[in-house]
Amino acid sequence: MVRFISLVLGHKELVHGPLDDSEKWTYQIVRAHVTEVNGAQVQNNLFGKQYGMSWIARIQGNVKADSVSFVNNGVPDDSLEKLKVVQVRKHATRTDIYFSNDLEVNTNELE
């Protein structure tokens, strides 16, 4: 399925404190061309691994992301399910973000 949808990109910064370090998340809503990546061979060619579900988001401009979430109206950005960024590829005018639900598949099914 190919479509333009809104995604929430999460960016994690490490904040150094006097005693402990902590993470600070910032969020950005972007419009992206999202394609679901189906098929074991296609996932192996792209990632070298297989996942339960994976997608490619093509976003205009230069963006950073440590997580990707699907927008859910009424749910705050920090409460959305954070999907794992597998790979980021930068091009002249766009950024491609490959992301998954983090369930890696092996010969014994899901791990």
Side-chain angles (χ1 to χ4, degrees), residues 3 5-11 25-32 34 55 57 59 64-73 75-85 97-101:
R3 57 190 174 157
I5 62 171
S6 295
L7 294 175
V8 178
L9 303 181
H11 181 65
W25 284 87
T26 55
Y27 300 96
Q28 174 185 8
I29 296 178
V30 296
R31 193 114 172 103
V34 178
W55 301 266
I59 303 162
K64 293 181 180 179
D66 294 305
S67 72
V68 177
S69 301
F70 290 103
V71 172
N72 188 352
N73 291 335
V75 178
D77 294 343
D78 59 350
S79 298
L80 294 170
E81 178 186 5
K82 290 180 175 78
L83 300 171
K84 176 184 176 183
V85 172
I97 299 176
Y98 297 73
F99 62 103
S100 76
N101 66 350

Side-chain angles (χ1 to χ4, degrees), residues 22-23 25 30 42 44 46 55 58 63 65 69 74 96:
S22 62
E23 294 177 350
W25 284 87
V30 296
V42 174
N44 275 330
L46 287 173
W55 301 266
R58 291 178 173 87
V63 296
S69 301
D96 293 349

